[in-house]
Amino acid sequence: MQAVRQLVEEKPVVIFSKSNCCVSYSMRQLISSYGANPTVYELNEIPNGQELERALQSIGSNLTVPVVFIGQKLVGGADEVISLQVQGKLVQMLMEAGAIGLWNRTSASSQ
């Protein structure tokens, strides 16, 4: 767990992912579409990836990738991120974490 804490420390958005996971890619795209620049750790490409994956599973029941932290808080996986978006809470969380500045719904929807 300490290794996970160190990786999310002082970073507004962290995604633990696997390079071959299309859902992880979708979460990166969604979060980036609001102007955030998430830090992404590809668990299948880093030396301690298996250790980190076990640590992530121990803190979040049966979490699989992607595992998303916003503002150093565990949000969860894709279902939780999508739920926040549908509820209109994702942008606010990203702003509170300092991942994005002011967000203009009008300009974002015209892209």
Side-chain angles (χ1 to χ4, degrees):
M1 181 59 192
Q2 183 62 28
V4 172
R5 276 194 212 122
Q6 289 175 338
L7 292 174
V8 302
E9 193 173 8
E10 298 182 24
K11 294 179 181 79
V13 181
V14 174
I15 302 173
F16 291 93
S17 174
K18 288 190 177 176
S19 60
N20 58 352
C21 176
C22 61
V23 177
S24 295
Y25 176 79
S26 297
M27 290 301 100
R28 284 195 304 271
Q29 292 300 109
L30 173 64
I31 290 169
S32 296
S33 74
Y34 293 112
N37 187 18
T39 300
V40 179
Y41 296 104
E42 302 288 2
L43 297 176
N44 60 322
E45 294 181 355
I46 57 178
N48 62 339
Q50 289 181 337
E51 173 189 332
L52 289 171
E53 193 166 7
R54 284 190 296 274
L56 289 165
Q57 288 171 345
S58 73
I59 61 172
S61 65
N62 290 327
L63 285 178
T64 60
V65 295
V67 178
V68 179
F69 287 79
I70 299 176
Q72 295 80 41
K73 296 177 188 162
L74 173 64
V75 172
D79 289 345
E80 290 80 11
V81 173
I82 295 297
S83 178
L84 288 170
Q85 183 197 26
V86 169
Q87 296 171 39
K89 296 179 181 179
L90 181 58
V91 169
Q92 187 62 37
M93 283 187 78
L94 292 170
M95 289 174 59
E96 289 171 1
I100 60 175
L102 293 177
W103 185 74
N104 183 335
R105 183 182 308 255
T106 307
S107 65
S109 64
S110 64
Q111 292 180 356

